Amino acid sequence: MCAGRIDLSFVLRAFSNGMDGVFIGACRLNECNYITHGNYHALNMVLLCRKIMEHIGLSPERLKIEFMSAGEGILFAEAMNEFSNRIKQLGPLGQKEGTDVNELRSKLQDVTKLVPYIKRVKREKLALHLGQEEEYDELFNRDEISRLFRDVISYYIDPDKCQACMICHKKCPVEAIGGGKNQIHVINQEKCIKCGTCLDACPPRFGAVKTISGGVVPPPIPEEERTIVRKSKKQ
Ligand code: SF4
Ligand code: SF4
């Protein structure tokens, strides 16, 4: 019902599944039926996605958003005709780009895995409601997108600080955190989608979850060294 529901991952998935173009029709800005103004969110997401597409070598022209009301049938038909003609000119995915379609798909899948990270890092900009459409031209820029992918954040549990409270383990949405009662927890970097939930969840008094930006994550401590012996049990 609302363009604001369209997640960045939906658009990337459409391209990964072989769509040559994605068109998003949204209500006119400032005419949202809900207090959320989801069409602003859709616009911000599209602008971010277009820059990401440019970064991975996919023509940003393949993604379009238009604002119109449900009563503007003629405008909708014109917009769709114009978009479909442009997509026909660009040809199938990869043709205009001069890139192998499988290579593009693999890049799209890599970016899709990072969507929770991208949304977390860019959440403030994604939530912006600027006054005019023109003000959006520079909302996201190329350097910023290059940095976004160069300095990808990794999450790491400091074994000296982890108290095995299991909170992060329970909250991780993809079961990427290993550990149990009295066991120092470790993050499986292959499974981690970099959503940052563990960072928010780890109690500040422990502060065991650390972020590493663009660097190498230390290997997890060996299993035989993970047991925590509490003081009361030592006596
Ligand atoms: S950032 Fe933390 S909570 Fe999110 S997937 Fe990775 S380990 Fe799990
Ligand atoms: S929330 Fe923090 S202290 Fe608790 S198990 Fe996870 S990393 Fe360790």
Side-chain angles (χ1 to χ4, degrees):
M1 283 301 290
C2 176
R5 173 70 183 93
I6 303 170
D7 194 88
L8 177 59
S9 61
F10 300 175
V11 179
L12 296 169
R13 190 167 69 214
F15 286 121
S16 292
N17 286 345
M19 297 298 131
D20 298 324
V22 174
F23 180 95
I24 297 170
C27 296
R28 290 188 177 281
L29 293 173
N30 302 318
E31 291 182 13
C32 182
N33 289 312
Y34 308 103
I35 55 164
T36 49
H37 289 277
N39 43 7
Y40 274 101
H41 187 274
L43 172 59
N44 298 347
M45 182 276 293
V46 163
L47 295 174
L48 173 61
C49 192
R50 281 211 194 115
K51 284 281 184 264
I52 292 173
M53 290 164 71
E54 213 179 311
H55 182 79
I56 62 170
L58 184 60
S59 171
E61 285 186 86
R62 293 184 183 277
L63 172 60
K64 193 166 177 67
I65 185 166
E66 286 276 355
F67 303 96
M68 59 191 74
S69 83
E72 292 176 305
I74 294 174
L75 183 63
F76 176 67
E78 283 171 359
M80 289 309 298
N81 284 335
E82 192 188 311
F83 183 63
S84 87
N85 286 337
R86 184 63 192 133
I87 294 300
K88 280 179 194 154
Q89 285 166 4
L90 294 173
L93 217 63
Q95 183 168 296
K96 171 80 175 163
E97 291 85 354
T99 313
D100 179 64
V101 67
N102 291 325
E103 192 186 318
L104 275 176
R105 280 207 186 116
S106 151
K107 286 183 181 173
L108 283 162
Q109 280 156 11
D110 288 346
V111 175
T112 305
K113 280 187 211 148
L114 292 175
V115 165
Y117 154 75
I118 295 168
K119 282 166 62 178
R120 183 182 173 93
V121 174
K122 295 295 166 201
R123 64 187 158 189
E124 280 166 17
K125 282 195 175 182
L126 285 169
L128 277 178
H129 289 190
L130 296 181
Q132 301 293 325
E133 253 184 274
E134 303 76 56
E135 291 179 54
Y136 279 90
D137 290 348
E138 286 306 313
L139 183 60
F140 299 104
N141 61 59
R142 277 186 198 172
D143 290 348
E144 172 185 14
I145 300 301
S146 298
R147 274 198 309 277
L148 182 71
F149 289 103
R150 189 191 59 216
D151 303 333
V152 174
I153 290 172
S154 298
Y155 294 86
Y156 166 73
I157 295 175
D158 183 340
D160 294 329
K161 294 196 167 173
C162 179
Q163 295 302 309
C165 69
M166 297 178 70
I167 295 174
C168 61
H169 175 78
K170 287 179 192 146
K171 290 202 170 178
C172 175
V174 292
E175 298 182 354
I177 302 179
K181 207 175 163 199
N182 294 326
Q183 289 287 310
I184 290 170
H185 288 39
V186 292
I187 294 176
N188 180 334
Q189 299 296 330
E190 293 297 311
K191 278 191 175 179
C192 175
I193 55 168
K194 303 178 191 299
C195 66
T197 304
C198 51
L199 180 69
D200 297 337
C202 185
R205 65 184 185 282
F206 302 147
V209 180
K210 307 287 177 197
T211 55
I212 297 174
S213 179
V216 179
V217 181
I221 59 164
E223 262 191 84
E224 59 276 15
E225 293 171 26
R226 289 185 197 166
T227 305
I228 298 176
V229 181
R230 309 280 176 194
K231 276 182 191 159
S232 55
K233 301 257 168 89
K234 278 186 189 168
Q235 290 159 1

